[in-house]
């Protein structure tokens, strides 16, 4: 009976390593029903046998067959596993979806665990707390596969809103518009629901402005823009908090730098 139990445990651990190429010890212990000494003992055994390598505290990668040492897993997958609740967001989510043209030297992930930014293999990993208005950290989050491993990534609808909410983490207006200008398969109901849940009037105004600019290529319904108008700030806001210049866009109660204004009619703008 003891041999059968051990065989079952070995089989479960083997399955885990095949489907979690980078993993946090929390995942390992939940999946394999291990804790404390037994967990540490099994991980130490796998380390000795070069089945896994330690990336940092509580984080491991499976070593592919034939690789002897210094194996480096994809940085994006490392970001998705740095904490038990990690969710890829902002520019890292853009990279995951193949929507970014730029190579990243840092990755951002959402987590309620207050850990410090860290460097791993010359890549900076930056944790970010979810917006305070979200009572559910996993709202508008999807499960995907990367390198045969389950990961969590914000949905594209949430991603667009989040990027406009945190311009400091977005890569800037050009990065956002390059990614979304021709993205015409978004779920508008989902996007509106998240914008309401976030409850940031200035962000709703930025979102409305951008969607109006690219209404034709993104196939944005006019009804959505009207709904977003109801969420705009009651007093004028600036597109960039650090830039107090720009044209006043009456529809969105927003001062927008002139270089961002591409297609809307002049009659809609006031100084």
């Amino acid at each position: 009976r003891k041999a059968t139990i051990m065989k079952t445990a070995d089989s479960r651990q083997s399955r885990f390593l095949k489907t979690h190429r980078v993993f946090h010890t929390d995942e390992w212990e939940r999946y394999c029903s291990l804790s404390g000494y037994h967990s540490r003992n099994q991980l130490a055994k796998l380390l000795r046998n070069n089945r896994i390598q330690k990336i940092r505290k509580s984080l491991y990668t499976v070593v592919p067959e034939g690789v002897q040492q210094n194996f480096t897993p994809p940085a994006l997958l490392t970001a998705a596993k740095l904490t038990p609740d990690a969710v890829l967001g902002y520019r890292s989510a853009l990279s995951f979806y193949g929507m970014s043209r730029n190579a990243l030297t840092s990755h951002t992930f959402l987590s309620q665990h207050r850990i410090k930014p860290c460097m791993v293999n010359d890549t900076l990993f930056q944790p970010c707390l979810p917006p305070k208005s979200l009572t559910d950290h996993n709202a508008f989050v999807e499960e995907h596969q990367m390198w045969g491993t389950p990961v969590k990534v914000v949905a594209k609808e949430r991603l667009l809103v989040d990027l406009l909410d945190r311009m400091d983490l977005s890569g800037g207006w050009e990065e956002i518009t390059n990614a979304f200008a021709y993205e015409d398969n978004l779920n508008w109901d989902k996007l509106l629901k998240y914008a309401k849940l976030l409850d940031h009037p200035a962000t709703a105004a930025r979102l409305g402005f951008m969607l109006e600019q690219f209404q034709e290529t993104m196939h944005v319904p006019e009804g959505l823009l009207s709904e977003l108008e109801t969420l705009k700030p009651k007093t004028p806001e600036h597109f960039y908090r650090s830039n107090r210049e720009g044209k006043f866009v009456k529809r969105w109660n927003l001062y927008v730098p002139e270089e961002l204004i591409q297609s809307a009619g002049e009659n809609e703008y006031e100084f």
Side-chain angles (χ1 to χ4, degrees):
R1 178 176 172 81
K2 185 176 180 181
T4 302
I5 293 173
M6 290 184 66
K7 186 175 181 180
T8 301
D10 288 344
S11 176
R12 180 177 293 183
Q13 291 174 29
S14 179
R15 284 199 305 272
F16 178 85
L17 296 176
K18 287 178 181 177
T19 56
H20 294 74
R21 308 302 296 275
V22 171
F23 62 92
H24 194 278
T25 52
D26 277 39
E27 286 181 295
W28 160 261
E29 291 177 352
R30 283 198 310 272
Y31 190 98
C32 300
S33 300
L34 294 169
S35 62
Y37 167 79
H38 297 290
S39 173
R40 293 192 297 273
N41 187 49
Q42 288 301 309
L43 288 171
K45 182 179 177 181
L46 292 167
L47 282 166
R48 286 195 303 271
N49 294 333
N50 201 39
R51 292 283 308 282
I52 63 173
Q53 285 181 7
K54 191 171 186 176
I55 299 174
R56 70 188 302 267
K57 183 181 178 182
S58 302
L59 192 69
Y60 297 86
T61 182
V62 176
V63 180
E65 288 187 26
V67 175
Q68 294 302 312
Q69 58 185 353
N70 298 329
F71 173 70
T72 303
L76 200 57
L77 183 53
T78 298
K81 295 294 180 179
L82 264 167
T83 60
D85 65 342
V87 175
L88 291 177
Y90 303 103
R91 294 184 74 191
S92 293
L94 277 181
S95 181
F96 173 83
Y97 286 121
M99 299 172 73
S100 175
R101 301 177 184 179
N102 303 312
L104 300 183
T105 56
S106 65
H107 282 291
T108 303
F109 61 95
L110 295 152
S111 174
Q112 291 179 311
H113 291 253
R114 294 179 179 272
I115 70 169
K116 294 180 180 179
C118 60
M119 292 289 296
V120 180
N121 298 317
D122 298 322
T123 300
L124 175 66
F125 293 93
Q126 178 75 48
C128 181
L129 287 169
K132 291 180 180 179
S133 54
L134 295 189
T135 54
D136 178 10
H137 169 50
N138 288 309
F140 300 87
V141 168
E142 298 175 350
E143 291 201 3
H144 292 276
Q145 291 279 321
M146 188 195 311
W147 206 40
T149 302
V151 296
K152 291 182 177 181
V153 190
V154 296
K156 285 185 180 180
E157 293 80 7
R158 173 177 172 177
L159 175 57
L160 175 56
V161 181
D162 280 350
L163 289 168
L164 290 165
D165 184 56
R166 291 289 305 273
M167 298 293 290
D168 57 317
L169 298 175
S170 72
W173 174 255
E174 187 176 354
E175 175 89 330
I176 298 171
T177 55
N178 283 340
F180 282 96
Y182 292 91
E183 186 68 36
D184 59 359
N185 289 315
L186 296 177
N187 183 318
W188 300 120
D189 289 337
K190 184 186 288 188
L191 182 141
L192 181 62
K193 186 177 179 181
Y194 180 70
K196 288 180 176 179
L197 185 65
L198 191 65
D199 193 25
H200 290 177
T203 300
R206 291 190 204 104
L207 178 63
F209 170 79
M210 183 206 153
L211 293 179
E212 184 182 34
Q213 293 287 285
F214 298 96
Q215 185 173 7
E216 185 176 336
T217 57
M218 294 180 72
H219 299 167
V220 181
E222 185 60 38
L224 173 67
L225 297 178
S226 298
E227 288 273 9
L228 288 171
E229 268 191 273
T230 67
L231 307 179
K232 69 184 180 183
K234 290 181 171 55
T235 57
E237 293 274 0
H238 290 81
F239 194 93
Y240 295 112
R241 296 181 182 93
S242 59
N243 185 347
R244 315 302 285 184
E245 298 178 354
K247 282 190 173 182
F248 180 64
V249 183
K250 187 176 181 180
R251 183 177 190 181
W252 304 111
N253 216 7
L254 194 67
Y255 285 97
V256 181
E258 291 191 44
E259 63 268 21
L260 305 192
I261 299 172
Q262 298 176 357
S263 59
E266 285 295 323
N267 61 331
E268 293 197 36
Y269 295 86
E270 299 177 6
F271 289 103

